[in-house]
Amino acid sequence: MKNEQQEKRLQASSDKLTAELETAKKQPVVAAAPLTDPKSDAERDGYMLGQSIASNAVVQLQMVKDTGLTISLEQLIAGFSTQLQTGTSVMNSEEMSRRYAAMQEAINKNMGSLIEKGYARLNKQLDKRKSLLTQNGVHWFTVKSVNAKLIPEQQVQVSVKVSTLSGKVINDFADDKVVFDNTLPPLLYEGMSLTGTGGAVEGWALAKDIFEREPLPPWVAPYDVIHYQLAIK
C-alpha cells in the first residue's frame, strides 16, 4: 500500500510538471524566439554556451521530476533569466541556500529508488540472454559472431554508437581506423577484445557504473540505462 501511494504521488507531481510545461509553452511571455542561424564567431560561441548550460540543467530538472518534487517551471525560467540578465535575486542568499540544500537532500533520499528502477529496466534488456562477459557493471553480448578475435596492434575500422535506452545519442562514429591496444578508451578496448573483423557486440550498463570509465554528457542521469554498440570491419 505504501509503494502504491508513493507511485501515485510521483505520478501526480510528474503530471503537474508536465502540465506546467505545456502551459508555459503557450504563454507569449516565455515563448522562444524564432530560431535563427548564428552568423559571427561571437554569436556561434554564445549559442554553443547556451546549449551547454541548458544541457547541464536538463538532467537536474529531470532528476527533480523523477524524484517527485514539485516546482514551478515558470519561476524556474524567471530565476534563470533574472540571474543571467541582472545578476540579482528576489530571494536572499540564506533562503536560497536552505531551499537548495533541502531539494538536494530530497533528491539524494530518493536516488536509491531511482537506481533500483534503473536496474529493473536494465535487467529487462538482459533477460534470458547469455552474456559474453560481465565486468565492472557492463554486460556484453554477441550481435554478430566471428571465428577469430583481434590480435594486439591489429588496425581495423570501428563503428561505435552509445545511447540511452530512451534513444538519446551520446556518441556516434563510423569507420574510424583504430589500432587495437590497451591505450584505447576502456570500454572500446573491452568491446573490441570480445570480437574480430566482421563482428559486432553490444554492451548494457547503468550510467552510474561506467561514469569513471566512459565520458558521459552532463544530461545523463546516474540511473539511465546505457547501450554501447560496436562493430568492426
Side-chain angles (χ1 to χ4, degrees):
M1 180 64 71
K2 184 177 179 182
N3 288 339
E4 184 178 346
Q5 291 175 344
Q6 185 179 20
E7 289 292 335
K8 288 181 178 179
R9 287 197 299 270
L10 289 174
Q11 186 60 51
S13 297
S14 176
D15 292 344
K16 186 175 187 298
L17 188 58
T18 301
E20 286 182 346
L21 176 60
E22 293 303 318
T23 300
K25 286 179 179 178
K26 297 175 183 178
Q27 294 177 356
V29 135
V30 293
L35 292 177
T36 58
D37 187 20
K39 299 297 190 296
S40 68
D41 284 340
E43 289 177 342
R44 299 190 76 81
D45 285 344
Y47 186 84
M48 172 276 298
L49 186 58
Q51 287 282 305
S52 177
I53 293 172
S55 294
N56 291 337
V58 163
V59 69
Q60 296 179 35
L61 182 58
Q62 187 63 47
M63 284 195 291
V64 167
K65 177 181 176 182
D66 291 344
T67 302
L69 296 173
T70 301
I71 65 168
S72 165
L73 187 64
E74 182 179 346
Q75 288 303 310
L76 182 150
I77 296 171
F80 178 81
S81 299
T82 302
Q83 180 59 224
L84 188 64
Q85 294 171 0
T86 68
T88 62
S89 171
V90 297
M91 295 167 60
N92 62 51
S93 58
E94 186 278 330
E95 182 181 5
M96 294 269 286
S97 298
R98 174 170 52 82
R99 287 185 175 275
Y100 181 82
M103 179 175 287
Q104 195 61 50
E105 182 180 358
I107 291 174
N108 292 339
K109 183 179 179 180
N110 288 279
M111 187 57 67
S113 175
L114 295 174
I115 294 294
E116 286 183 9
K117 290 179 180 179
Y119 277 125
R121 290 191 295 271
L122 172 63
N123 288 335
K124 288 183 179 179
Q125 306 303 316
L126 312 179
D127 190 34
K128 298 179 181 178
R129 300 181 66 187
K130 184 178 180 181
S131 64
L132 280 170
L133 175 71
T134 298
Q135 183 169 287
N136 298 319
V138 184
H139 306 263
W140 292 98
F141 300 89
T142 298
V143 175
K144 185 178 180 182
S145 60
V146 291
N147 293 326
K149 293 183 179 179
L150 298 179
I151 60 174
E153 308 302 322
Q154 183 175 350
Q155 183 172 336
V156 290
Q157 287 187 311
V158 177
S159 296
V160 171
K161 182 176 182 180
V162 186
S163 58
T164 65
L165 184 60
S166 63
K168 291 184 178 179
V169 176
I170 296 170
N171 199 358
D172 191 0
F173 61 86
D175 300 336
D176 272 18
K177 289 185 178 180
V178 172
V179 175
F180 177 58
D181 60 33
N182 58 13
T183 64
L184 293 170
L187 288 189
L188 180 58
Y189 179 77
E190 193 172 286
M192 290 179 67
S193 70
L194 298 173
T195 188
T197 303
V201 295
E202 64 176 357
W204 291 91
L206 214 61
K208 81 174 192 64
D209 292 331
I210 61 173
F211 272 137
E212 294 183 359
R213 299 198 301 148
E214 180 75 12
L216 298 174
W219 51 262
V220 175
Y223 45 86
D224 278 334
V225 176
I226 305 300
H227 187 199
Y228 196 104
Q229 300 167 275
L230 184 152
I232 299 177
K233 286 187 176 181

